[in-house]
Amino acid sequence: MKASLRIASLAFWAASISPFSSATTIPLQQAQPALNCNRTCLETHLSTYLSALIAHDPTLLPTTPSVKYVENDQILPFTPSTGIWSLASTLGTYRHIFSDPSTGNVAAFTTILENGIGAIYIVRLKVDADGKLSEIETQITRDPTGAARYEKLGKPEDVWVQAVPIEERISRELLISQTNKYYSGLYEVGRWAADDECKDGRSVWAFK
Ligand SMILES: *[C@@H]1O[C@H](CO)[C@@H](O)[C@H](O)[C@H]1NC(C)=O
């Protein structure tokens, strides 16, 4: 059960980094510039990114001059000597890709070896209207046991890639608001820990 819990919590992370994290900074309905990168194009960007990563060569990527690179919550210079860019040695085989052509975002959960040691690697790329990467947001979890579980799984469970019939889909806004409850819940837990009087059950945790 532990394994599936871990995967479920990572799923929240992916849901939050893909188009959803922009919800906190950009009004949801804001008009987007026309984007020219469909799902195939986004997946190509992702695979180019991963190849460049293990080649330790950021220059193989089309990036904007002000590309924002984030690794484990820190904004870092995007150079061959930065963090995992200097350490990644081999790509793993597990890869679960989330593409969102409507916002030019693509993200993946994957596995990677750093100096031969397995880790879980999550990445989100933002492709701008000129086909350049403007944001690279990554999380590396140095957990060889977790990485081995993904490798054993081999590929994402089928349910992830089964299309939900249109009439059964919930709206993008509802998906975003449900995901954000996870974060508001975390915030409230912090408040409760700091102040007993806050333990009044105000936060809504329901994932329906
Ligand atoms: C994606 O875009 C490419 C290049 O514009 C095009 O050749 C391809 O047919 C498109 N694929 C899909 C599935 O629309």
Side-chain angles (χ1 to χ4, degrees):
M1 281 302 98
K2 248 187 174 168
S4 57
L5 272 178
R6 176 185 299 280
I7 289 167
S9 65
L10 285 169
F12 277 122
W13 202 88
S16 71
I17 61 165
S18 190
F20 304 115
S21 65
S22 59
T24 53
T25 50
I26 302 171
L28 287 177
Q29 301 305 331
Q30 180 177 306
Q32 298 283 343
L35 297 172
N36 311 313
C37 196
N38 61 22
R39 190 174 291 270
T40 314
C41 162
L42 288 171
E43 290 184 4
T44 302
H45 274 288
L46 183 79
S47 118
T48 306
Y49 173 86
L50 292 172
S51 304
L53 174 66
I54 55 159
H56 308 159
D57 188 356
T59 67
L60 296 173
L61 298 174
T63 51
T64 62
S66 59
V67 60
K68 189 178 194 180
Y69 177 72
V70 174
E71 189 174 308
N72 289 8
D73 302 328
Q74 295 182 76
I75 300 173
L76 297 173
F78 189 47
T79 71
S81 58
T82 295
I84 190 173
W85 276 79
S86 69
L87 297 169
S89 47
T90 314
L91 300 176
T93 53
Y94 182 91
R95 198 172 294 177
H96 188 173
I97 301 174
F98 302 78
S99 299
D100 186 13
S102 69
T103 62
N105 279 278
V106 59
F109 286 10
T110 188
T111 46
I112 208 155
L113 295 177
E114 283 180 315
N115 293 328
I117 299 171
I120 299 166
Y121 188 59
I122 310 180
V123 52
R124 176 187 64 88
L125 305 175
K126 163 90 179 158
V127 182
D128 76 3
D130 298 328
K132 299 213 161 109
L133 305 185
S134 57
E135 295 175 12
I136 301 170
E137 183 177 0
T138 70
Q139 165 113 6
I140 175 139
T141 304
R142 295 184 167 96
D143 171 5
T145 311
R149 278 196 205 110
Y150 275 112
E151 287 303 271
K152 197 171 165 209
L153 206 54
K155 63 180 181 58
E157 289 177 81
D158 290 342
V159 66
W160 285 103
V161 291
Q162 284 160 5
V164 175
I166 287 175
E167 63 278 9
E168 288 174 25
R169 291 180 197 175
I170 58 175
S171 70
R172 187 179 185 92
E173 288 71 23
L174 184 57
L175 279 170
I176 291 168
S177 73
Q178 292 295 88
T179 302
N180 281 340
K181 284 179 188 171
Y182 178 76
Y183 296 99
S184 54
L186 282 181
Y187 175 75
E188 288 294 323
V189 166
R191 281 166 47 92
W192 292 341
D195 181 356
D196 273 356
E197 288 178 17
C198 288
K199 291 177 181 165
D200 61 2
R202 263 175 307 155
S203 59
V204 180
W205 286 82
F207 289 97
K208 290 182 183 161

